[in-house]
Coordinates of all heavy atoms in Angstrom, one line a residue:
R73 N -57.4 0.2 127.3 CA -56.8 -0.7 128.3 C -55.7 -0.1 129.1 O -55.6 -0.3 130.3 CB -56.3 -2.0 127.6 CG -57.3 -3.0 127.3 CD -56.7 -4.4 126.9 NE -55.5 -4.2 126.0 CZ -55.5 -4.3 124.7 NH1 -56.7 -4.3 124.0 NH2 -54.4 -4.2 124.0
I74 N -54.8 0.6 128.4 CA -53.6 1.2 129.1 C -53.9 2.5 129.8 O -53.5 2.7 130.9 CB -52.5 1.3 128.0 CG1 -52.2 0.0 127.3 CG2 -51.2 1.9 128.7 CD1 -51.8 -1.1 128.3
K75 N -54.5 3.4 129.1 CA -54.7 4.8 129.7 C -55.8 4.8 130.7 O -55.8 5.7 131.6 CB -55.0 5.8 128.6 CG -53.8 6.1 127.7 CD -52.7 6.8 128.5 CE -51.6 7.3 127.6 NZ -50.6 8.0 128.3
K76 N -56.8 3.9 130.6 CA -57.9 3.9 131.5 C -58.5 5.3 131.7 O -58.4 5.9 132.8 CB -57.5 3.3 132.9 CG -57.1 1.9 132.8 CD -56.8 1.3 134.1 CE -56.3 -0.1 134.1 NZ -56.1 -0.9 133.0
P77 N -59.0 5.9 130.6 CA -59.4 7.3 130.7 C -60.6 7.5 131.7 O -61.4 6.7 131.9 CB -59.9 7.5 129.2 CG -60.2 6.2 128.7 CD -59.3 5.2 129.4
V78 N -60.6 8.7 132.2 CA -61.7 9.1 133.1 C -63.0 9.2 132.4 O -64.0 8.8 132.9 CB -61.3 10.5 133.8 CG1 -62.4 11.0 134.7 CG2 -60.0 10.4 134.6
V79 N -62.9 9.8 131.2 CA -64.1 9.8 130.3 C -64.3 8.4 129.7 O -63.5 7.9 129.1 CB -64.0 10.9 129.2 CG1 -65.2 10.8 128.2 CG2 -63.7 12.3 129.8
R80 N -65.5 7.9 129.9 CA -65.8 6.5 129.4 C -65.9 6.6 127.9 O -66.4 7.6 127.3 CB -66.9 5.9 130.1 CG -68.3 6.4 129.8 CD -69.4 5.8 130.6 NE -70.6 6.3 130.2 CZ -71.4 5.8 129.3 NH1 -71.2 4.6 128.8 NH2 -72.6 6.4 129.0
G81 N -65.4 5.6 127.2 CA -65.4 5.5 125.8 C -65.4 4.1 125.3 O -65.1 3.2 126.0
K82 N -65.7 4.0 124.0 CA -65.8 2.7 123.4 C -65.6 2.9 121.9 O -66.1 3.9 121.3 CB -67.1 2.0 123.7 CG -67.2 0.6 123.3 CD -68.4 -0.1 123.8 CE -68.5 -1.5 123.4 NZ -69.7 -2.2 123.9
A83 N -65.0 1.9 121.2 CA -64.8 1.9 119.8 C -65.9 1.1 119.1 O -66.3 0.0 119.6 CB -63.4 1.4 119.4
F84 N -66.3 1.6 117.9 CA -67.4 0.9 117.2 C -67.0 0.9 115.7 O -66.2 1.6 115.2 CB -68.7 1.7 117.3 CG -69.2 1.7 118.7 CD1 -68.9 2.6 119.6 CD2 -70.1 0.7 119.2 CE1 -69.3 2.6 120.9 CE2 -70.6 0.6 120.5 CZ -70.2 1.6 121.3
E85 N -67.7 0.0 115.0 CA -67.5 -0.1 113.5 C -68.5 0.8 112.8 O -68.3 1.2 111.6 CB -67.7 -1.6 113.1 CG -66.6 -2.5 113.5 CD -66.7 -3.9 113.0 OE1 -67.4 -4.1 112.0 OE2 -66.2 -4.8 113.7
N86 N -69.6 1.1 113.4 CA -70.6 2.0 112.7 C -71.2 3.0 113.6 O -71.3 2.8 114.9 CB -71.7 1.1 112.0 CG -72.5 0.3 113.0 OD1 -73.3 0.9 113.7 ND2 -72.4 -1.0 113.0
E87 N -71.7 4.0 113.0 CA -72.3 5.2 113.8 C -73.6 4.8 114.6 O -73.8 5.3 115.7 CB -72.5 6.3 112.9 CG -71.2 6.9 112.3 CD -71.5 8.0 111.3 OE1 -72.3 8.9 111.5 OE2 -70.8 8.0 110.2
A88 N -74.4 4.0 114.0 CA -75.7 3.6 114.6 C -75.4 2.9 116.0 O -76.0 3.3 117.0 CB -76.5 2.7 113.7
D89 N -74.4 2.0 116.0 CA -74.1 1.3 117.3 C -73.5 2.3 118.3 O -73.8 2.2 119.5 CB -73.1 0.2 117.1 CG -73.8 -1.0 116.3 OD1 -75.0 -1.1 116.3 OD2 -73.0 -1.9 115.8
A90 N -72.7 3.2 117.8 CA -72.1 4.2 118.7 C -73.1 5.1 119.3 O -73.1 5.4 120.5 CB -71.0 5.0 117.9
L91 N -74.0 5.6 118.5 CA -75.1 6.5 119.0 C -76.0 5.7 120.0 O -76.4 6.3 121.0 CB -75.9 7.0 117.8 CG -75.2 8.1 117.0 CD1 -76.0 8.4 115.7 CD2 -75.0 9.3 117.8
H92 N -76.3 4.5 119.7 CA -77.1 3.7 120.6 C -76.4 3.6 122.0 O -77.0 3.7 123.0 CB -77.3 2.3 120.1 CG -78.1 1.4 121.0 ND1 -79.5 1.6 121.2 CD2 -77.8 0.4 121.8 CE1 -79.9 0.7 122.0 NE2 -78.9 0.0 122.4
W93 N -75.1 3.3 121.9 CA -74.3 3.2 123.2 C -74.2 4.6 123.9 O -74.3 4.7 125.1 CB -72.9 2.8 122.9 CG -72.0 2.6 124.1 CD1 -72.0 1.5 124.9 CD2 -71.0 3.5 124.5 NE1 -71.0 1.8 125.9 CE2 -70.4 3.0 125.7 CE3 -70.6 4.8 124.1 CZ2 -69.4 3.6 126.4 CZ3 -69.6 5.4 124.8 CH2 -69.0 4.8 125.9
L94 N -74.1 5.7 123.2 CA -74.0 7.0 123.8 C -75.4 7.5 124.3 O -75.5 8.3 125.2 CB -73.5 8.1 122.8 CG -72.1 8.1 122.4 CD1 -71.8 9.0 121.3 CD2 -71.2 8.5 123.7
S95 N -76.5 7.0 123.7 CA -77.8 7.6 124.0 C -78.2 7.6 125.5 O -78.7 8.6 126.0 CB -78.9 6.9 123.2 OG -79.0 5.5 123.6
P96 N -77.9 6.6 126.3 CA -78.2 6.8 127.8 C -77.4 7.9 128.4 O -77.9 8.5 129.4 CB -77.8 5.4 128.4 CG -77.7 4.5 127.3 CD -77.4 5.3 126.0
S97 N -76.3 8.3 127.9 CA -75.4 9.3 128.4 C -76.0 10.7 128.2 O -75.7 11.6 128.9 CB -74.0 9.3 127.8 OG -73.4 8.0 128.1

Side-chain angles (χ1 to χ4, degrees):
R73 280 194 319 269
I74 302 303
K75 289 291 187 178
K76 298 182 184 358
V78 177
V79 176
R80 68 187 182 96
K82 190 171 178 180
F84 295 89
E85 292 183 24
N86 65 68
E87 293 174 46
D89 289 344
L91 287 170
H92 179 75
W93 181 81
L94 284 171
S95 64
S97 300

